[in-house]
Amino acid sequence: MSGNPRPVFRFAPSPNGELHLGHALSALTCFSQAQEAGGRFLLRIEDIDIARSRPEYVQGIFDDLTWLGLSWEEPVVYQSQRFDVYREAAGRLRAMGLLYPCFATRSEIEAAATGVSDPDGAPLYPGLWRGRPEAEVRRHQAEGTPYALRLDMAAAVRIAAGRLESALLTFREDGQEVEAAPERWGDAVIVRKDTPTSYHLAVVVDDAWQGVTHVTRGRDLFAATGLHRLLQVLLGLPEPAYRHHPLVMDEEGQKLSKSARHTSLRALREQGMTREQVISRIGLAG
Ligand code: GLU
């Protein structure tokens, strides 16, 4: 082997609904970037949400991508098969003193919220369980109360700044340095109550493990990238280059969602829409 390793791109859908036009834009953009760069194109099934993921949605992803004319390397990676790896990564953050158990329910968080929202529009976590006495934590654990593990954001940002020897955490977006600003998430959930990871932890662990060099995804994940960059620094993982493409809107100017079945790729295909029409609808040249 000689020369530069090939760049690695990936499309990473969650199989908890049918893919829509926004996914088509992500997948086609990643795929054509990979082709232009002579790179590799990987598919990762982000099925950490065991309760909502369904095999028929996984099959739907394969069908939709094939219909769009895409091909990907085998084997496809399934996050549900990698829970041990995420547990290990969470364990490392915990050993650094950066994660703490949070037993709060959604309604307790809402009741204590300050009116400030996180970038997803949820109430910013008001730190209810940060710094609680160890005995209280142990008592709740012994009672079997479910808990999430949250990042102590202030401590995490401090450690990252020490590692980088810079107070400004950034990521690379299309060749520009962009401020990461992970503190907008507050003490983010790193391990959910119902599954041994969160989207944020699994995505940074897997992008690094799969050698992903270029992450292309929708603008709705722009703020998440700031948190991902922080986790990469804390876990000593390499930094991919990022691109966030504009979102595809519906006729009313609303963001498309997986629950809107009438805009799913499958529904559009069944209505007779062609691949070329999809490409033109999402604003890509055919
Ligand atoms: N699984 C995420 C989703 O379907 C996308 C993850 C990513 O591209 O980083 O929204």
Side-chain angles (χ1 to χ4, degrees), residues 109-137:
I109 294 170
E110 274 163 17
T114 58
V116 181
S117 299
D118 76 11
D120 278 347
L124 194 71
Y125 176 70
L128 295 173
W129 278 86
R130 190 191 320 116
R132 288 270 189 114
E134 192 55 36
E136 198 181 346
V137 170

Side-chain angles (χ1 to χ4, degrees), residues 10 12-14 23 44 46 199 203 207 215-217 221 228 258:
R10 70 5 172 228
S14 306
H23 295 102
R44 183 169 72 226
E46 301 212 321
Y199 157 62
V203 86
D207 282 341
V215 174
T216 295
R217 54 191 179 194
L221 290 170
H228 299 174
K258 279 191 184 156

Side-chain angles (χ1 to χ4, degrees), residues 45-48 50 77-84 86:
I45 302 295
E46 301 212 321
D47 55 352
I48 60 166
I50 298 294
V77 166
Y78 291 82
Q79 291 191 321
S80 58
Q81 293 173 7
R82 293 180 41 76
F83 286 150
D84 284 348
Y86 310 138

Side-chain angles (χ1 to χ4, degrees), residues 195-216:
T195 193
T197 182
S198 60
Y199 157 62
H200 302 298
L201 182 65
V203 86
V204 297
V205 166
D206 285 348
D207 282 341
W209 173 65
Q210 294 187 284
V212 171
T213 56
H214 292 74
V215 174
T216 295

